[in-house]
Amino acid sequence: KPIAKALIQRFGSFTGVMDATEYDLMNTDGIGENAAGLILLVKAAGALYLEQRLRRNTLLDRPDVCADFARMKLGVGGKETLLVMFLNRRHHLLDYHCFPGTVDAVHIYPREILEMCLSRRATAVMLAHNHPSGVCTPSDGDLRMTHTLQTLLDAADIDLIDHLLVTPFSWISMREQKWI
């Protein structure tokens, strides 16, 4: 119990503990490699649980559902990561892919996403990426990439449902903000 309290105090919340890196966890008194591995395993199990629920019946046209899944898959970490969710006509999850980035950007080629959509027979896409800074506002690069991708997907008759930005405690929908 004292170690659990120390973890929550250090990382600010249970969510903060779940989003901590193995390195950060192991630099907490009382946490070794095995304990850090167990914490990461619990998070991975939660993410797998959400993924399997999504694949079964959940429609991924609601940003709140996607934001929860994105937080579990991406965490907050120290690097941005783009999550692309490939959906069928009824907006059920077919597959997903994570594109790792740097501390403040994810560099992707829209063509790669289009190729993945076509190979998976996806008719819709939901995007989400984390902002490790905690600021839930898109950068100019985020907006440019989203508009470029939307144009490309439109030409292939694939719907871009939304692009979400997630942080540990908030999320924002580019569609709801009318940025796309």
Side-chain angles (χ1 to χ4, degrees):
K1 191 171 178 178
I3 294 173
K5 285 182 179 181
L7 284 167
I8 289 174
Q9 180 160 1
R10 174 162 186 220
F11 296 106
S13 66
F14 178 74
T15 303
V17 174
M18 291 290 107
D19 286 336
T21 65
E22 181 177 21
Y23 176 81
D24 289 336
L25 290 168
M26 288 177 48
N27 281 315
T28 303
D29 287 338
I31 299 294
E33 187 176 342
N34 290 338
L38 179 60
I39 291 169
L40 296 174
L41 177 65
V42 168
K43 180 181 179 182
L48 182 60
Y49 168 79
L50 284 177
E51 178 186 336
Q52 288 182 356
R53 279 190 50 206
L54 289 176
R55 285 185 189 271
R56 235 186 356 250
N57 298 321
T58 304
L59 297 179
L60 288 179
D61 53 1
R62 288 188 23 226
D64 59 323
V65 173
C66 293
D68 289 342
F69 179 62
R71 276 197 194 106
M72 277 301 265
K73 290 308 285 182
L74 305 177
V76 292
K79 295 182 177 182
E80 285 193 18
T81 303
L82 174 69
L83 172 66
V84 181
M85 294 168 266
F86 303 98
L87 312 174
N88 66 14
R89 183 72 54 209
R90 298 178 127 187
H91 297 170
H92 289 112
L93 183 67
L94 296 171
D95 198 8
Y96 67 89
H97 184 81
C98 292
F99 291 90
T102 63
V103 294
D104 62 354
V106 177
H107 301 286
I108 58 110
Y109 293 100
R111 174 187 172 135
E112 286 183 71
I113 294 175
L114 177 60
E115 289 172 351
M116 293 175 126
C117 287
L118 295 173
S119 71
R120 290 159 174 80
R121 299 181 182 266
T123 57
V125 171
M126 176 72 85
L127 304 175
H129 82 274
N130 62 330
H131 271 190
S133 67
V135 177
C136 217
T137 304
S139 67
D140 290 341
D142 294 338
L143 294 170
R144 270 192 312 277
M145 185 278 300
T146 303
H147 291 136
T148 300
L149 184 58
Q150 183 172 29
T151 301
L152 187 62
L153 292 173
D154 284 348
D157 198 29
I158 298 170
D159 295 328
L160 175 59
I161 296 174
D162 207 339
H163 185 164
L164 308 176
L165 282 80
V166 298
T167 67
F169 304 106
S170 63
W171 61 271
I172 196 165
S173 157
M174 286 191 185
R175 179 145 328 267
E176 288 178 358
Q177 297 299 314
K178 305 207 183 313
W179 291 322
I180 58 172

